[in-house]
Each structure stands twice: as structure tokens, then as C-alpha cells.
């Protein structure tokens, strides 16, 4: 996770914890909740979306956004996708692949992300990972109203952590048939000292100094491997999925750290089949070079393999050769392998 988060030394973290302050101007305009009573055309051609009012949060009214693309023929099968950190749903090809295979496709822009971000909110901020459960529940309820009874819940990176945590805490009440994760954020990509000493210090501070911000690395390697204008194949809104993401709050670090611990503590409570996919290669470094097109520049696949093997009782942990961190944004032969793995998993776990 070094490309997402550049942590300060331990002594500086302690200084920030007890003496730091949040930066940035406060929003002074009105804060109004938003709810759609009907679907509207989405920013992605062929998709539609609606906002869901998720009530009052720690920073005011918040909303999530449900995006969908329905299969052309009647179907009871559906896939719900949850994005990762510094992200939103823009993977138009992903939805088309599911629809072409007879699945209704749904995605959520979580609160404070992408379509759901309000002007008074700090992007991506969170106090507890479980806050996202409400956003997931709203989308699942919509899918059931749409007549979908066979639901696969999928997530990428922090979204993968969230859906796995959702399954572990809900147990038999999870409400989906299976879970699919794409490079789930099961462990920090740091050395043992950072994981065992520095992260716990910052996490503890996050309970008190929630909005204090930790700067991130000015690294472009991963973004440049994705964006079409550089070395990738994709176009997306870089105001929502930033090349250089903003500082993260201590409460965000605390939320992630606690979610990881809670998931591993309750890993055996996952009762539905779960797929854990990760790349074959860990990419070190910060600025783009050709090798960034052939591996995970955000998380360590070896760590994901070890933790993935502890999730649930009916699990498949699979390596996708030369995959990027977001496997479905890899070059075409690689993402084809990821899609084949997903559909094979769904078919073999009815």
C-alpha cells in the first residue's frame, strides 16, 4: 500500500496525534440530502443511476449511488460491484461482460466517492468500514425489487475488504449466494515494523484526532499504467479517481486497520463461497516504468494469498498472471483470464 499511503515516521505520527490539526477550508454552504425517486441516464452510456439518501453521517447528509445495466433477456441472476479507494464505478466493459453473459449488473458509488461525493465531504473519508454496509444493503434491496434472487457480491481492493467483512459479520444473513474479490485489501503493504508498530499508533490516534490528515506519496506509476493518455487503456474522471490522491485521515487508517483485524477474527463466519483473486507479481517503486504494466503496484500478492486462505470454508484463492492491482483493468489477455475465473467460480458455486 506504499503507493497509496506514505506514512510519516513513528515519532512524527505521535506528534501529529497530540498536536496536529486538520487542514483545508470548511464548506459554508447548505447541506441538503438527495434522493432520486426515478432512475436517470448515467454518465456511462447505456447505464442508468439513482441516488439513495443514507441519512445523517458525522459530516452531514450523505448519499450513495446505484448504477445499473439490465440484461436484455429475463434473468434472476445479478452481480453487484463495490469499488476501491480513490475510485468509482467507470468500468463500462465490466458491466457489458456480465450483461452479455445473462446477468443484470449493478454497481455502487459509495458515500463520499465519485457520483456520491457532496461538496461538504472530504473525499473517501470514513470512521468505520461498516458504514458502507448501508450502501450495500440499499443496492441489494433494489436488486431484489428488480426480481433478482441469485446475487453475487463483488469488490475490488478496499471494496474487496468491505464485502468480505460484510459476509463475515452477516454470516447466514448475508443475503447473497457468493462473494468475489479482486485484489482485496486484506493487509497493509508495509514492512513488519510499520504493520505492527506504526499502524497501531496511528490507528489509536484516529480514535481521538479523527480528521488529522496523513500525506500520501506523490507516485504516478499505478495511475499511468491505467490511463489511456499515458500507458493504459482507460479513460476516467481524474477528479474522482485522482492521479495523486489526497491525504487520508487518521480515522480512515483506523477504519481500514480495524476492518482487517475484525475480518480475520471472524473469517470462519463467512458461510458463502468466496473467491480471492490477486496478481502474480508485486511491483516496487513509485514512478512509472514498463514493469508497472505486469503486476500489482499497490498491494503484495503474497500477503493476499496467505490471508485469503483463511477466509470462510468454501474458498478459491487464485493467481492471475501479470495482473494489475485492479485485475479487470489489466491488458486484455490478463483481464480475460480474470473474467473467466469469475464466471467459472459463479457457475461452479450455484
Amino acid at each position: 500500500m506504499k503507493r497509496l499511503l506514505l506514512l510519516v515516521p513513528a515519532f512524527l505520527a505521535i506528534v501529529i496525534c497530540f498536536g496536529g490539526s486538520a487542514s483545508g477550508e470548511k464548506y459554508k454552504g447548505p447541506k441538503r440530502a438527495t434522493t432520486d425517486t426515478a432512475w436517470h441516464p448515467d454518465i456511462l452510456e447505456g447505464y442508468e443511476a439513482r441516488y439513495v439518501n443514507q441519512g445523517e453521517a458525522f459530516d452531514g447528509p450523505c448519499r450513495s449511488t446505484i448504477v445499473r445495466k439490465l440484461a436484455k433477456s429475463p434473468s434472476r441472476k445479478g452481480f453487484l460491484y463495490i469499488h476501491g479507494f480513490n475510485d468509482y464505478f467507470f468500468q463500462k466493459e465490466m458491466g457489458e461482460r456480465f450483461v452479455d453473459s445473462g446477468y443484470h449488473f449493478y454497481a455502487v458509488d459509495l458515500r463520499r466517492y465519485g457520483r456520491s461525493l457532496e461538496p461538504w465531504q472530504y473525499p473517501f473519508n470514513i470512521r468505520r468500514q461498516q458504514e458502507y454496509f448501508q450502501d450495500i444493503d440499499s443496492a441489494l434491496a433494489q436488486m431484489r425489487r428488480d426480481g433478482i434472487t441469485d446475487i453475487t457480491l463483488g469488490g475490488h481492493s478496499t471494496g474487496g475488504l468491505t464485502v468480505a467483512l460484510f459476509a463475515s459479520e452477516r454470516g447466514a444473513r448475508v443475503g447473497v449466494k457468493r462473494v468475489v474479490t479482486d485484489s482485496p485489501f486484506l493487509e497493509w503493504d508495509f514492512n513488519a515494523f510499520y504493520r505492527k508498530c506504526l499502524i497501531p499508533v496511528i490507528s489509536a490516534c484516529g480514535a481521538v484526532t479523527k480528521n488529522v490528515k496523513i500525506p500520501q506519496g506523490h507516485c504516478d506509476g499505478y495511475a499511468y499504467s491505467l490511463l489511456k493518455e499515458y500507458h493504459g487503456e482507460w479513460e476516467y474522471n481524474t477528479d474522482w479517481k485522482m492521479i495523486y490522491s489526497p491525504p487520508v485521515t487518521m480515522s480512515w487508517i483506523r477504519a481500514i486497520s480495524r476492518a482487517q483485524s475484525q475480518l480475520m477474527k471472524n473469517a470462519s463466519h463467512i458461510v458463502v463461497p468466496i473467491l480471492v483473486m490477486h496478481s502474480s507479481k508485486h511491483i516496487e517503486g513509485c514512478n512509472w516504468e514498463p514493469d508497472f504494466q505486469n503486476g500489482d503496484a499497490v498491494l503484495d500478492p503474497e500477503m493476499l494469498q496467505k490471508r485469503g486462505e483463511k477466509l470462510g470454508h468454501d474458498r478459491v484463492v487464485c493467481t492471475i498472471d501479470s495482473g494489475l492491482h485492479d485485475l479487470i483493468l489489466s491488458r486484455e489477455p490478463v483481464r480475460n483470464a480474470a473474467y473467466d475465473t469469475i464466471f467459472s467460480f459463479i457457475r461452479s458455486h450455484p
Side-chain angles (χ1 to χ4, degrees):
M1 204 70 177
K2 290 186 283 293
R3 264 72 44 188
L4 280 182
L5 178 63
L6 181 63
L7 290 177
V8 293
F11 73 90
L12 183 56
I14 295 172
V15 170
I16 291 176
C17 182
F18 294 105
S21 62
S23 60
E25 296 183 3
K26 290 188 176 181
Y27 174 80
K28 297 179 181 179
K31 298 181 178 181
R32 298 189 179 94
T34 305
T35 302
D36 279 346
T37 57
W39 295 91
H40 59 261
D42 186 52
I43 56 176
L44 296 177
E45 185 179 356
Y47 289 76
E48 56 186 350
R50 74 178 188 87
Y51 300 120
V52 180
N53 176 12
Q54 298 294 359
E56 195 75 13
F58 60 84
D59 53 357
C62 70
R63 68 185 182 187
S64 62
T65 309
I66 304 173
V67 183
R68 74 179 181 184
K69 185 177 181 66
L70 300 178
K72 297 177 182 178
S73 301
S75 176
R76 295 286 183 178
K77 299 181 296 182
F79 188 91
L80 173 61
Y81 173 74
I82 309 299
H83 61 76
F85 172 76
N86 185 24
D87 207 354
Y88 72 103
F89 174 65
F90 66 90
Q91 296 89 337
K92 184 178 179 182
E93 180 191 77
M94 185 185 194
E96 292 168 349
R97 294 237 188 175
F98 276 95
V99 166
D100 290 345
S101 297
Y103 297 80
H104 299 298
F105 180 83
Y106 292 71
V108 175
D109 274 12
L110 299 168
R111 57 189 67 192
R112 306 181 192 89
Y113 281 88
R115 300 164 179 82
S116 304
L117 182 64
E118 299 280 21
W120 57 84
Q121 296 173 332
Y122 187 75
F124 324 142
N125 199 15
I126 197 73
R127 299 282 170 83
R128 296 174 68 250
Q129 209 70 11
Q130 287 85 347
E131 291 177 44
Y132 296 137
F133 289 5
Q134 190 173 343
D135 304 353
I136 295 172
D137 282 332
S138 296
L140 291 175
Q142 179 65 62
M143 295 175 77
R144 295 186 190 106
R145 288 196 297 271
D146 291 343
I148 302 169
T149 55
D150 184 342
I151 299 175
T152 302
L153 176 61
H156 163 61
S157 197
T158 55
L161 169 63
T162 301
V163 299
L165 183 67
F166 182 84
S168 72
E169 294 201 0
R170 294 291 175 87
R173 300 177 294 106
V174 67
V176 301
K177 291 288 187 69
R178 58 200 75 79
V179 172
V180 168
T181 65
D182 170 355
S183 304
F185 187 12
L186 304 179
E187 179 62 281
W188 298 93
D189 182 17
F190 293 128
N191 61 38
F193 170 75
Y194 269 52
R195 294 198 312 270
K196 297 178 181 180
C197 298
L198 184 54
I199 289 290
V201 168
I202 295 179
S203 179
C205 291
V208 180
T209 53
K210 297 179 175 63
N211 291 323
V212 169
K213 297 179 179 66
I214 303 291
Q216 299 189 60
H218 200 68
C219 298
D220 58 35
Y222 182 50
Y224 282 17
S225 71
L226 299 179
L227 283 163
K228 191 173 183 178
E229 62 185 290
Y230 297 103
H231 307 283
E233 299 180 44
W234 312 102
E235 296 177 310
Y236 52 80
N237 185 338
T238 53
D239 289 330
W240 289 351
K241 183 176 177 64
M242 305 174 198
I243 294 176
Y244 306 108
S245 59
V248 292
T249 62
M250 283 190 170
S251 67
W252 182 88
I253 295 171
R254 176 177 173 81
I256 293 292
S257 184
R258 294 184 72 195
Q260 291 171 339
S261 297
Q262 290 163 349
L263 171 60
M264 301 318 297
K265 181 180 179 181
N266 298 312
S268 63
H269 297 174
I270 299 175
V271 299
V272 295
I274 182 167
L275 171 65
V276 179
M277 299 186 299
H278 59 75
S279 178
S280 60
K281 187 175 182 179
H282 186 207
I283 304 299
E284 297 284 358
C286 184
N287 300 117
W288 188 88
E289 55 186 54
D291 211 25
F292 271 82
Q293 304 301 125
N294 301 307
D296 191 329
V298 178
L299 299 179
D300 184 348
E302 186 174 334
M303 291 183 178
L304 302 189
Q305 176 75 27
K306 291 178 179 178
R307 288 210 161 191
E309 290 173 350
K310 299 178 181 179
L311 299 182
H313 304 282
D314 186 359
R315 78 187 74 84
V316 176
V317 184
C318 182
T319 300
I320 305 298
D321 187 37
S322 302
L324 298 181
H325 175 56
D326 193 337
L327 297 165
I328 65 164
L329 298 182
S330 305
R331 51 195 170 86
E332 188 171 9
V334 178
R335 67 180 184 266
N336 285 343
Y339 283 120
D340 288 346
T341 301
I342 292 171
F343 287 119
S344 175
F345 173 78
I346 293 174
R347 289 193 300 269
S348 61
H349 294 83

